[in-house]
Amino acid sequence: MSASELACTYACLILHDDGIPITTDKIALLVKAANVPIESYWPSLFAKLLEKRNLDDLIMNVGSGGGGGAVAVAAPAGGAGAAAAAPPPEEKKEEPKEESDEDMGFSLFD
């Protein structure tokens, strides 16, 4: 991510946090106040993006990945489709216990 993109991202987050409408002029004003040189097209790109998208939704879906295609699963005949469509339960992985000093046969103050 370039410095221009990052500056515009932070400007949008600041405006959103303060409840100020995100516009091209306000993004450019914040970036200029921070003395960050940017190309003139970045503020308008960010403003146009956020006109159509809700910033709260973007923030909440940061780690969700994106654009993966849907997978179609054929339901077996006989009406057992609902049971077959349920995901299998996740197995719990047991974490190995760390050894303590008592197990090693010596201590720090021997």
Side-chain angles (χ1 to χ4, degrees):
M1 182 177 277
S2 71
S4 299
E5 289 176 84
L6 197 56
C8 288
T9 301
Y10 286 142
C12 291
L13 289 172
I14 290 168
L15 291 169
H16 177 71
D17 190 47
D18 288 341
I20 300 171
I22 300 170
T23 63
T24 302
D25 295 333
K26 291 181 182 175
I27 294 170
L29 183 66
L30 270 175
V31 172
K32 184 178 179 183
N35 292 325
V36 178
I38 63 168
E39 293 83 7
S40 61
Y41 59 86
W42 283 114
S44 62
L45 285 175
F46 276 82
K48 286 180 183 178
L49 168 74
L50 295 174
E51 282 177 2
K52 298 176 183 176
R53 302 288 306 264
N54 184 356
L55 190 56
D56 287 325
D57 292 341
L58 292 173
I59 292 170
M60 296 304 240
N61 293 324
V62 168
S64 67
V71 178
V73 178
E90 294 183 19
E91 296 179 19
K92 293 183 180 180
K93 296 180 181 178
E94 293 184 25
E95 295 182 17
K97 295 181 181 179
E98 295 183 23
E99 295 181 8
S100 66
D101 290 340
E102 297 170 1
D103 297 329
M104 293 184 193
F106 66 91
S107 70
L108 182 63
F109 300 106
D110 279 344

